[in-house]
Amino acid sequence: MNNRRTFIKNLGAAAGMAAFAPELFASEPQKLWFQISLAEWSLHKAILNEKKLTNLDFPVVARKEFGIGIVEYVNQMFKDKAKDTAYLNDLLTRCKDNDVKNHLIMIDGEGGLAETDATVRNKAVDNHKKWVECAKYLGCKTIRVNSFGRGTAEEVAKAAVDGLGKLGEFAAPVGINVIVENHGGYSSDGQWLSNVMKQVNMKNVGTLPDFGNFCIKRSSGGEWGGSCTEEYDRYKGVKELMAFAKGVSAKTNDFDEKGNEAKMDYARLLKIVKDAGFKGIIGIEYEGNVTSEYDGIKATKKLLERVGAMV
């Protein structure tokens, strides 16, 4: 009887405390099944166009402005610094001071690894080697490359297998992954890129499924520019590429009044990612024009946290 009275008394006291100090009884935030990183392209206007930030500021801003401790660089932001150890040491110091982990470097402008001209393709492979070494120096695990090339789908696929294979062989001994994003042209065809991966068949060569880049043909005739005239099914494409994924790019452009991506079903996309057994890093890549870069990044983070907890 005394035990029962004590229990009721304690229960009443707890209820009173909860009423006056609910924060003491708030549940812990649900731990996600993936980690969130920030892709530097999300701030490309601030860095490249407005010159408000530099690449050295990026890890600091990621941590202080957005509470994100994993970053993905874009080589365009420090394209002449791949071998500049003084610069890289400065960057590493800023990462250490802000408890930021370097995840990958996205490589552009170094040539297509699927060019059908062997001389051009081999030059592209050589151009990428310094970024493999840079990634290793910065403590990254991965570089993202492009499988661009001119020719028929079969010709470019054959060239991609060769180019990716050669770069993969160079990167393997230093523990760096080489991953391809669906990034325009044939690479935005999920079946085409997954078939290339099957033929390369290397542990350190994989994919970076991007939720948004599934335009196969453009009015410009190139990977970028003009309007999209043919688009691959994004949900089919993400599912095909997840079999080889060593990262995921959470692309966003615009949001509705509920905070959802306006043209993508994030619940469906994240379910595909989770069903593939992925438990790695998903990178925020905001690319919209309506919302500012800072607000777009924050909105994407909230979207990932909210939907990720429900999937």
Side-chain angles (χ1 to χ4, degrees), residues 18 75 161 180 192 263 278:
N75 74 324
V161 172
V180 184
W192 182 91
K263 295 183 178 179
F278 184 84

Side-chain angles (χ1 to χ4, degrees), residues 231-246:
E231 191 165 10
Y232 198 79
D233 184 295
R234 81 176 73 252
Y235 307 101
K236 180 175 183 287
V238 169
K239 186 174 182 179
E240 289 167 334
L241 298 181
M242 281 309 304
F244 311 94
K246 295 184 182 297

Side-chain angles (χ1 to χ4, degrees), residues 32-180:
L32 296 172
W33 44 272
F34 57 89
Q35 293 177 283
I36 295 176
S37 63
L38 179 61
E40 192 170 20
W41 190 252
S42 301
L43 292 165
H44 75 276
K45 294 174 186 175
I47 297 173
L48 295 177
N49 303 339
E50 301 163 1
K51 309 296 182 184
K52 291 180 178 178
L53 300 173
T54 69
N55 184 67
L56 290 172
D57 298 321
F58 174 52
V60 183
V61 169
R63 171 60 76 187
K64 292 187 175 180
E65 292 289 340
F66 310 112
I68 297 174
I70 306 173
V71 294
E72 305 177 9
Y73 297 98
V74 176
N75 74 324
Q76 295 178 53
M77 313 302 189
F78 62 123
K79 58 185 177 182
D80 59 341
K81 304 294 186 182
K83 296 183 178 182
D84 187 336
T85 54
Y87 177 91
L88 299 179
N89 285 338
D90 189 357
L91 185 58
L92 283 170
T93 297
R94 297 181 187 220
C95 291
K96 182 179 179 181
D97 289 347
N98 291 276
D99 190 24
V100 172
K101 174 185 175 183
N102 294 327
H103 172 42
L104 68 81
I105 308 175
M106 297 186 179
I107 314 301
D108 298 305
E110 296 290 5
L113 293 171
E115 292 290 355
T116 51
D117 183 315
T119 301
V120 176
R121 182 173 68 252
N122 288 333
K123 178 66 165 59
V125 172
D126 288 340
N127 289 345
H128 281 79
K129 289 179 179 178
K130 63 180 176 290
W131 291 109
V132 170
E133 294 166 344
C134 179
K136 181 66 176 180
Y137 195 91
L138 289 175
C140 296
K141 296 294 184 182
T142 304
I143 64 168
R144 188 277 281 144
V145 302
N146 293 301
S147 59
F148 295 152
R150 293 288 181 269
T152 66
E154 293 74 19
E155 290 169 342
V156 176
K158 182 179 179 181
V161 172
D162 178 71
L164 292 169
K166 287 177 178 175
L167 186 59
E169 288 175 1
F170 177 81
V174 292
I176 298 296
N177 296 315
V178 175
I179 62 177
V180 184

Side-chain angles (χ1 to χ4, degrees), residues 138-259:
L138 289 175
C140 296
K141 296 294 184 182
T142 304
I143 64 168
R144 188 277 281 144
V145 302
N146 293 301
S147 59
F148 295 152
R150 293 288 181 269
T152 66
E154 293 74 19
E155 290 169 342
V156 176
K158 182 179 179 181
V161 172
D162 178 71
L164 292 169
K166 287 177 178 175
L167 186 59
E169 288 175 1
F170 177 81
V174 292
I176 298 296
N177 296 315
V178 175
I179 62 177
V180 184
E181 181 183 356
N182 45 305
H183 209 211
Y186 295 127
S187 73
S188 289
D189 182 319
Q191 187 174 22
W192 182 91
L193 186 52
S194 60
N195 285 336
V196 167
M197 288 297 119
K198 290 174 185 175
Q199 292 179 67
V200 174
N201 192 29
M202 295 178 67
K203 288 183 178 180
N204 71 317
V205 178
T207 61
L208 178 68
D210 184 299
F211 291 167
N213 294 341
F214 283 101
C215 183
I216 302 173
K217 293 182 181 179
R218 292 184 171 274
S219 58
S220 64
E223 286 83 15
W224 305 107
S227 58
C228 184
T229 58
E230 184 180 346
E231 191 165 10
Y232 198 79
D233 184 295
R234 81 176 73 252
Y235 307 101
K236 180 175 183 287
V238 169
K239 186 174 182 179
E240 289 167 334
L241 298 181
M242 281 309 304
F244 311 94
K246 295 184 182 297
V248 173
S249 184
K251 177 67 61 61
T252 52
N253 290 284
D254 197 8
F255 306 90
D256 64 20
E257 64 281 359
K258 295 182 179 179

